[in-house]
Amino acid sequence: MTVALRGLSTVVPPTVLVQPEVRDVFAAQPGLNRLAQRIITTSFDVSAIETRHTVIAELSRDAHPDDPVFFDIDSGVLLQPGTKARNELYAQQATGLYVAAGRAAIDATPGIDTADVTHIVTVSCTGFYAPGPDFMIARELGLDAGVERYHLGFMGCYASIPALRLAKQLCEADASAVVLVVSVELCTLHLRSSNDPDTIVASSLFSDGAGAAIVTAHPPEPGERALVLDRFATRITPTGEGDMAWKIGDHGFEMVLSNAVPALIDEHITGALEPLFAHDPALVDALETDAAGRAVEHWAIHPGGRSILDKVETRLVLSEAQLVPARDTLRDYGNMSSATVLFVLRHILDGDAGAGERVAAMAFGPGLTVESALMTVSG
């Protein structure tokens, strides 16, 4: 049975953050020591990010709310709302993005409409509410009352790949299944001023966005651009459990993102690809001879940061062109956690990828966990 990812769509909130301007705001916060100020300047300047998006309208140049919660533009001070206030804004803002991305994916899939959707899989690690986003999508899009709903929560940046794997498994169990997968991450809700290096790095990278797609065994229409989902693999590295983590604090969710992460990925990425390539002798040989970049034409690497992409490019001997989708996504949108790899895949589909060419997708998250997928372009 052939199961394909179709109608891949992305959505971002309207408020745009310009990286140098955000750097200057963070650098001007009271209470920072000299080391923190130096780390802020370096982290923002070497991030390879130009713009990001946020649901926090107060961060807009034109916003002057009477009672600011996150940012007082008149004083230039970043405020410190509690986790409750941050999560309440998540509940307010996330639903619209879930619904918009889900609707866009359905509209972009020829021959599929809302009445055909049998399952929903939602993904997020940046907020919680119940009834949750899966329920809100079903209600707002008018899906069947019996639609099956699943939510993958708090897994981190790699979670969209397990969501696609689950969607494929649902389709393999039921050939008539039409699975709507939607990832929404509002990472900027948890950014704050701090002297802690991990918090500073997170503030220089993370952003908000949504991605969605239809996964189904219903064949694509002639000429439709889609991705056949061939295989998936997961790998937990033997070290690194404490180097990437996501915890709930009193003033939002707290990211641990140590400077050891790029080196850990560099050390273990080849081993993480071995189970993905194991069923294809040509791919195994390519991996063993540093020719993976020639065996697989396109690489959808989660751009967790510029240094991570640099390590992946060097270790797998990829060409600069093969990293363009990931680097462009990082430049224009920042790191949107689990939604980001969907943006990279969209970039590949919107580019010059030809029918029959292979795509390897990889994303990294807490654990340290590496999730990967092998796909084939159709259409």
Side-chain angles (χ1 to χ4, degrees), residues 7-21:
L8 182 56
S9 301
T10 57
V11 178
V12 291
T15 300
V16 178
L17 301 176
V18 179
Q19 191 75 338
E21 295 176 1

Side-chain angles (χ1 to χ4, degrees), residues 42-64:
T42 301
S43 296
F44 278 81
D45 288 350
V46 305
S47 67
I49 296 170
E50 295 180 5
T51 55
R52 294 182 276 169
H53 292 256
T54 179
V55 295
I56 304 175
E58 293 174 6
L59 294 175
S60 169
R61 298 187 188 98
D62 302 322
H64 290 272

Side-chain angles (χ1 to χ4, degrees), residues 211-276:
I214 292 291
V215 175
T216 183
H218 296 200
E221 299 288 333
E224 179 187 350
R225 300 278 282 173
L227 291 166
V228 175
L229 300 176
D230 298 322
R231 292 194 297 276
F232 293 85
T234 185
R235 177 65 66 91
I236 299 173
T237 63
T239 58
E241 181 177 349
D243 291 291
M244 188 182 293
W246 194 223
K247 302 176 181 179
I248 298 177
D250 291 336
H251 294 280
F253 299 173
E254 300 173 353
M255 166 61 75
V256 175
L257 188 64
S258 84
N259 57 15
V261 170
L264 288 167
I265 291 173
D266 178 52
E267 180 180 357
H268 297 292
I269 189 170
T270 302
L273 282 172
E274 289 174 355
L276 185 70

Side-chain angles (χ1 to χ4, degrees), residues 164-227:
L164 295 177
R165 180 174 59 226
L166 171 60
K168 182 187 180 187
Q169 291 168 343
L170 291 169
C171 293
E172 290 171 336
D174 178 0
S176 66
V178 175
V179 186
L180 174 60
V181 177
V182 188
S183 168
V184 172
E185 300 288 12
L186 307 185
C187 305
T188 65
L189 294 179
H190 305 289
L191 303 185
R192 60 194 181 279
S193 178
S194 175
N195 285 310
D196 177 68
D198 285 345
T199 303
I200 292 171
V201 171
S203 298
S204 72
L205 292 174
F206 284 99
S207 55
D208 302 346
I214 292 291
V215 175
T216 183
H218 296 200
E221 299 288 333
E224 179 187 350
R225 300 278 282 173
L227 291 166

